[in-house]
C-alpha cells in the first residue's frame, strides 16, 4: 500500500493534538516529497440561512435571500466621488438587453487538484485586515484559509449575497460536483456570473443571457451557469474583476479548513482573532446543510465517519488516523516517491481494485477525498479490519507493511476516540 508521510499535528488554540508528532523511525519506507502548505489566499457551506454582509451602495436593513434566509446589512460603504454610483454604459446596439450571448469559456482556469471542504465561515462588517487573516492561518490545526470579497447586490429585483472570487483557487472550496464543472469556472474567469440552482430557479435566470446587476455600479453580466455553491446564504459568484468594478467589499469573508479538529473549537479561536461584530459560523451545524445534499459530509471528520459505516465493525477513528499519517488530511496529497497519490495515498494499481465513486459523479477519483476515504474503508474491510483485534492489526499492516506504522495508526485512533467520543 502507500508509504505514509509524517503527520503534522496541532490543535486550535494551542491545545493538544490527537497525538504528538511522532519520530520517524529509520528508513523502512520511501520519503514523500514535501509540499508547501497553503496560507491565506485571495480567493467559503450549505443551507438557506443568509449572512450579514456589507452592501455596496444599496442601503437596506434586512432582506430575504434567494436561499430563504434573512440577513442584516450592518453598515454600508460610503459613496464614492460624484458619478461613482451611476450605471455603466449600456450594452452596444448589437446586443439588446435580455438577448442571449455566446457563453464561451472566456478565461483560463487551473485544473482541479483537490477538494477543500470548508469547516468555518467568518463574515466581517468590513474588510478583514490581512494581519488577522494570517493569524487565522497560523492557528494550530488550520490547514487552509481563503479570503474573498463580497456584498449584497440586486439581481432581477431581488437582493442576493455575492462573492467575488478567483475561479482557479475558489473552485476547490465548493462541493465536488460543482468543483469539477470546468465550464462553470471558465465562464466565471470570463467575467460571467454563476448562481446557485435556487437563485437560477427563483429568479428565472437563463444561461447565456445578460442581466443588470445593481451595486455601486450597474454592469450587465452574462449568466455563465449554475451549481450548488455549498455556503449558507451565498447565491452568486462573480469574478474578482467584476467584483472590483461593482464595489464589493474586499476580504469581507474568510473560509477556514481545519480537518480533524472540532469545528466548535475552530469557531471560538477564529472569533477570538476577529473580535466582536464578526459572524463566525460552524458549517457542520445542521441548519447550514443544503437539503439536496443533506446526506453528503462536508469535512474530513464527517467523511471518515460516513465511510466507516460501509464496513461493519470498523471505527472511523482508524480512517482518521490513516488520513493524518498519509497526507495530514489532504494537505500533502501529491505523488510520493513510491508513486502513491491522493489524501489516502493509494498506489494507482491498488486504486484500480478498491477505488470508490463516493460522490456518485460517475468517476472514482484517487485525488478526491469523497472517493479516496471510502476507498480506504473498502480496502481495510477487505483485509478484515471490521473484525477488530489481530485482524485490524493485519489490515492496517496491509496498508503499509511496517509494525511501527500500525502502532502509530492505532495510537492516533485511540487519541481521536478520546477526543471525539
Amino acid at each position: 500500500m502507500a508509504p505514509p508521510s509524517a503527520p503534522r499535528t496541532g490543535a486550535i488554540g494551542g491545545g493538544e493534538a490527537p497525538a504528538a508528532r511522532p519520530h520517524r523511525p529509520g528508513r523502512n519506507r520511501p520519503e514523500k516529497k514535501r509540499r508547501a502548505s497553503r496560507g491565506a489566499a485571495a480567493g467559503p457551506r450549505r443551507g438557506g440561512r443568509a449572512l450579514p454582509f456589507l452592501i455596496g451602495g444599496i442601503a437596506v436593513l434586512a432582506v430575504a435571500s434567494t436561499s430563504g434566509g434573512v440577513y442584516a446589512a450592518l453598515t454600508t460603504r460610503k459613496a464614492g466621488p460624484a458619478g461613482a454610483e451611476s450605471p455603466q454604459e449600456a450594452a452596444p446596439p448589437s446586443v439588446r438587453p435580455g438577448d442571449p450571448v455566446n457563453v464561451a469559456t472566456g478565461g483560463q482556469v487551473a485544473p482541479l487538484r483537490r477538494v477543500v471542504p470548508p469547516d468555518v465561515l467568518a463574515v466581517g462588517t468590513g474588510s478583514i485586515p490581512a494581519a488577522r487573516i494570517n493569524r487565522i492561518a497560523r492557528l494550530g490545526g488550520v490547514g487552509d484559509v481563503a479570503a474573498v470579497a463580497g456584498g449584497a447586490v440586486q439581481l432581477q429585483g431581488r437582493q442576493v449575497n455575492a462573492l467575488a472570487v478567483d475561479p482557479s483557487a475558489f473552485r476547490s472550496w465548493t462541493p465536488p460536483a460543482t468543483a469539477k464543472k470546468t465550464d462553470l469556472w471558465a465562464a466565471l474567469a470570463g467575467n460571467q456570473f454563476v448562481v446557485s440552482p435556487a437563485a437560477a430557479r427563483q429568479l428565472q435566470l437563463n444561461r447565456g443571457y445578460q442581466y443588470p446587476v445593481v451595486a455601486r455600479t450597474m454592469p450587465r453580466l452574462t449568466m455563465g451557469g449554475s451549481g450548488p455553491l455549498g455556503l449558507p446564504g451565498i447565491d452568486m459568484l462573480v469574478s474578482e474583476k467584476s467584483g472590483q468594478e461593482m464595489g464589493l467589499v474586499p476580504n469581507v469573508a474568510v473560509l477556514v479548513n481545519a480537518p480533524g479538529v472540532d469545528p466548535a473549537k475552530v469557531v471560538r479561536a477564529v472569533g477570538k482573532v476577529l473580535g466582536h461584530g464578526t459572524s463566525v459560523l460552524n458549517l457542520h451545524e445542521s441548519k447550514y446543510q443544503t437539503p439536496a445534499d443533506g446526506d453528503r459530509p462536508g469535512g474530513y471528520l464527517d467523511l471518515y465517519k460516513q465511510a466507516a459505516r460501509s464496513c461493519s465493525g470498523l471505527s472511523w477513528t482508524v480512517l482518521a488516523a490513516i488520513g493524518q499519517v498519509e497526507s495530514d488530511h489532504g494537505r500533502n496529497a501529491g505523488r510520493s516517491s513510491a508513486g502513491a497519490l491522493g489524501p489516502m495515498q493509494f498506489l494507482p494499481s491498488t486504486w484500480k481494485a478498491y477505488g470508490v465513486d463516493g460522490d456518485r459523479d460517475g468517476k472514482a477519483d484517487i485525488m478526491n477525498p469523497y472517493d479516496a476515504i471510502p476507498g480506504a474503508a473498502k480496502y481495510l474491510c477487505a483485509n478484515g479490519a471490521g473484525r477488530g483485534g489481530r485482524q485490524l492489526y493485519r489490515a492496517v499492516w496491509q496498508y503499509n507493511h511496517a509494525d511501527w506504522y500500525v502502532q502509530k495508526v492505532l495510537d492516533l485512533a485511540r487519541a481521536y476516540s478520546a477526543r471525539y467520543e
Side-chain angles (χ1 to χ4, degrees):
M1 200 39 211
S5 61
R8 288 169 287 172
T9 61
I12 291 295
E16 284 189 9
R21 182 192 300 271
H23 173 70
R24 182 187 297 272
R27 290 284 177 181
N28 49 4
R29 63 193 174 92
E31 280 276 330
K32 284 180 61 178
K33 64 182 180 182
R34 301 181 68 85
R35 295 164 61 90
S37 60
R38 293 170 58 189
R45 164 159 147 152
R46 297 175 164 78
R49 185 162 302 191
L51 304 172
F53 264 17
L54 289 180
I55 296 178
I58 306 171
V60 298
L61 295 179
V63 50
S65 79
T66 57
S67 291
V70 175
Y71 65 86
L74 302 182
T75 183
T76 58
R77 302 182 70 186
K78 293 182 179 179
E85 297 188 22
S86 60
Q88 292 183 344
E89 293 183 6
S94 59
V95 181
R96 297 186 307 241
D99 278 357
V101 298
N102 180 34
V103 183
T105 55
Q108 297 294 319
V109 291
L112 180 66
R113 299 296 185 189
R114 61 176 183 150
V115 176
V116 186
D119 298 305
V120 169
L121 171 62
V123 180
T125 59
S127 294
I128 298 172
R132 295 190 179 185
I133 297 171
N134 289 332
R135 283 178 60 192
I136 293 172
R138 292 194 298 269
L139 290 171
V142 168
D144 294 89
V145 173
V148 292
V153 301
Q154 194 173 70
L155 179 64
Q156 295 286 78
R158 295 280 298 277
Q159 299 293 333
V160 176
N161 283 335
L163 297 180
V165 304
D166 173 358
S168 293
F170 188 79
R171 65 187 298 187
S172 296
W173 292 87
T174 60
T178 303
K180 292 180 179 180
K181 296 176 70 172
T182 299
D183 59 335
L184 201 70
W185 303 103
L188 192 62
N191 297 313
Q192 299 170 13
F193 71 89
V194 169
V195 293
S196 67
R201 181 177 62 254
Q202 295 174 23
L203 302 182
Q204 300 182 359
L205 303 171
N206 294 294
R207 183 174 182 269
Y209 281 73
Q210 287 188 335
Y211 299 91
V213 182
V214 182
R216 285 176 63 87
T217 59
M218 194 175 70
R220 297 189 65 85
L221 300 180
T222 300
M223 180 190 168
S226 68
L229 305 182
L231 295 167
I234 306 301
D235 285 297
M236 184 179 187
L237 300 179
V238 298
S239 68
E240 291 180 320
K241 179 177 182 292
S242 296
Q244 291 172 358
E245 294 173 350
M246 293 159 59
L248 299 186
V249 183
N251 291 353
V252 73
V254 175
L255 296 164
V256 181
N257 167 254
V261 182
D262 182 358
K265 197 169 185 179
V266 184
V267 167
R268 291 193 295 272
V270 171
K272 185 175 181 180
V273 170
L274 298 181
H276 297 295
T278 303
S279 297
V280 185
L281 308 181
N282 177 354
L283 298 179
H284 293 265
E285 294 183 18
S286 59
K287 61 186 176 182
Y288 298 128
Q289 306 297 308
T290 301
D293 282 340
D295 61 341
R296 175 170 292 173
Y300 272 78
L301 198 65
D302 296 330
L303 282 165
Y304 296 134
K305 290 179 178 179
Q306 177 166 300
R309 290 197 288 270
S310 68
C311 179
S312 177
L314 175 64
S315 171
W316 68 269
T317 62
V318 175
L319 288 172
I322 290 175
Q324 179 176 328
V325 174
E326 293 291 352
S327 72
D328 203 3
H329 310 300
R331 284 189 283 247
N332 191 16
R335 184 182 295 275
S336 75
S337 58
L341 285 168
M344 302 305 280
Q345 289 290 280
F346 272 95
L347 291 170
S349 57
T350 307
W351 182 253
K352 287 182 180 179
Y354 295 97
V356 172
D357 179 14
D359 58 3
R360 300 182 295 278
D361 67 348
K363 178 184 178 183
D365 185 353
I366 196 172
M367 300 300 294
N368 185 346
Y370 288 81
D371 296 343
I373 292 173
K378 180 180 178 180
Y379 180 81
L380 290 168
C381 204
N383 284 284
R387 293 194 288 273
R390 293 300 301 174
Q391 284 299 117
L392 173 62
Y393 191 102
R394 292 190 186 97
V396 177
W397 189 88
Q398 287 294 331
Y399 213 97
N400 186 35
H401 298 176
D403 289 313
W404 65 263
Y405 174 85
V406 179
Q407 290 297 336
K408 181 186 296 183
V409 166
L410 297 180
D411 286 346
L412 279 170
R414 284 190 286 270
Y416 275 108
S417 180
R419 167 168 289 187
Y420 294 106
E421 294 182 345

